[in-house]
Amino acid sequence: MNEVRSFLRAAAATVLGACLAGGALAQAYPNKPITLIVPFAAGGPTDVVARLLSVNMSKTLGQTVVIENKLGAGGTIASAFTAKAAPDGYTFLIHHNGMATAPALYRKLPFNPLTDFEYVSQVIDVPMTLVGRKDFPPRDFKELVAHLKANGEKINVAHAGLGAVSHLCSVLFRQAIGVDLTTIPFSGTGPAMNALLGGQVDLMCDQTTGTTPHIKAGSVKLYGVTTPNRLRTMPEVPTLAEQGLTGFQMVVWHGVYAPKGTPRNILDTFGRALNLALKDPAVIARLTELGAVIVPDDKLTTAGLQTWLQQETQRYGPVIKAAGQFAD
Ligand code: MLT
């Protein structure tokens, strides 16, 4: 009888142990879908990159990384939302230079990019392209500048709102050529591109991750690239600097953020999955095809993003003040 009791006790202990272990595993991160917030509309360059990464990261993490497009105010609504989200590892944000420009652009910003987030990693750098609707009369950059000077505010330039890189690019471009054009805000350059393809707007500055398929299809006119050097993907296309537009260069960088207080081990797990996605040959091939450049390993880190954000915030402040673009 004693033997039976001992056996039952041992069996019960084994079952309890297994349950506890199972419980511990069930608690392990991640144990439910993770939201990756995109601050602009679906179909735009940030969304395209986020979706590409999320598919790969979901496999590594064993949980779906769900993309949520939270639109408005040039990305600041999404950033404010992320800053206030629970720091439990289930909300992340992918954002670009807009994180560094927002403090100078918005007088009443409801979050502080330098203190309200945890920093996962930088991701990619992306060149911008200046594109026009297919039937826009100027055939090249020289003709474009002459056309803009002759028509001024009759020309519509699409962008994704104050804080968007498409907006900043259009402001710097207008400043560089000394012409006032009419700007039309959209919730992202995805819908802005639809308007350009439909001929409702004339011009747009957007990332190659958004414009490349349309340039290759010949459905938009390309006037130049905003990088210091020509692109590997379109070596025949001159930079804007080569075409005489000096002092005007733009490269878009992206970073991944979490709410302040998200535990270190969770940031590391998510960061590792991101890092692995960026080492995957299929992801590399697609990003390269779209003109993006994966940042070097030292930037694929918390410090890599945090230090860069600090530098960029300082760099953009005076540039934006000089351009005189603000919102309350
Ligand atoms: C987008 O994803 O729609 C763009 O990155 C917005 C922008 O121009 O900043």
Side-chain angles (χ1 to χ4, degrees):
M1 191 60 180
N2 276 350
E3 266 172 33
V4 173
R5 261 198 220 114
S6 305
F7 171 77
L8 287 175
R9 227 180 270 133
T14 309
V15 170
L16 183 65
C19 286
L20 286 176
L25 280 180
Q27 297 302 313
Y29 174 82
N31 59 20
K32 60 177 185 177
I34 301 168
T35 300
L36 177 60
I37 295 181
V38 168
F40 298 101
T46 317
D47 182 74
V48 164
V49 170
R51 284 177 199 274
L52 180 67
L53 295 173
S54 74
V55 172
N56 190 290
M57 290 175 72
S58 300
K59 288 187 201 139
T60 304
L61 291 164
Q63 289 288 344
T64 309
V65 176
V66 181
I67 300 299
E68 189 176 324
N69 300 87
K70 221 168 237 316
L71 320 178
T76 57
I77 287 179
S79 303
F81 175 87
T82 307
K84 289 179 184 62
D88 57 4
Y90 292 95
T91 305
F92 289 87
L93 168 75
I94 182 164
H95 202 353
H96 56 36
N97 311 43
M99 201 58 135
T101 58
L105 288 169
Y106 287 82
R107 289 197 181 91
K108 290 182 206 147
L109 198 63
F111 62 92
N112 183 336
L114 299 177
T115 55
D116 290 353
F117 296 94
E118 302 292 344
Y119 307 92
V120 177
S121 166
Q122 278 191 63
V123 187
I124 49 170
D125 289 339
V126 188
M128 298 195 88
T129 46
L130 186 62
V131 290
R133 61 181 157 84
K134 192 178 173 178
D135 54 356
F136 201 36
R139 283 166 301 178
D140 55 27
F141 183 71
K142 195 161 167 248
E143 284 190 15
L144 174 71
V145 174
H147 188 77
L148 299 182
K149 286 191 170 163
N151 290 281
E153 289 178 359
K154 279 191 241 152
I155 305 294
N156 292 322
V157 185
H159 63 82
L162 197 64
V165 285
S166 47
H167 180 260
L168 184 62
C169 185
S170 77
V171 169
L172 297 177
F173 173 65
R174 280 181 285 144
Q175 217 179 27
I177 62 167
V179 179
D180 251 348
L181 310 170
T182 299
T183 61
I184 316 276
F186 289 81
S187 59
T189 49
M193 175 57 84
N194 288 342
L196 192 72
L197 295 172
Q200 287 107 36
V201 294
D202 302 309
L203 204 61
M204 177 166 70
C205 196
D206 194 19
Q207 298 168 66
T208 54
T209 36
T211 57
T212 300
H214 305 290
I215 293 167
K216 298 261 186 237
S219 42
V220 294
K221 259 185 191 161
L222 174 60
Y223 293 109
V225 296
T226 64
T227 39
N229 299 310
R230 290 188 180 203
L231 307 186
R232 267 175 301 124
T233 45
M234 309 176 203
E236 70 288 357
V237 180
T239 65
L240 291 175
E242 269 179 82
Q243 304 186 83
L245 200 67
T246 50
F248 172 78
Q249 285 173 359
M250 271 203 74
V251 175
V252 183
W253 54 268
H254 297 73
V256 171
Y257 303 80
K260 186 83 186 170
T262 304
R264 183 73 255 165
N265 62 324
I266 286 180
L267 297 172
D268 288 346
T269 301
F270 197 77
R272 252 192 314 273
L274 176 62
N275 217 296
L276 283 175
L278 293 167
K279 302 269 187 266
D280 182 293
V283 173
I284 296 173
R286 183 63 186 142
L287 288 174
T288 306
E289 194 178 28
L290 293 175
V293 177
I294 295 166
V295 296
D297 283 351
D298 62 321
K299 290 188 165 195
L300 286 175
T301 59
T302 290
L305 174 58
Q306 194 169 12
T307 311
W308 184 246
L309 177 68
Q310 285 162 355
Q311 288 170 6
E312 285 286 276
T313 306
Q314 279 175 10
R315 183 171 79 87
Y316 274 122
V319 175
I320 289 166
K321 286 201 175 88
Q325 301 282 318
F326 302 107
D328 284 335

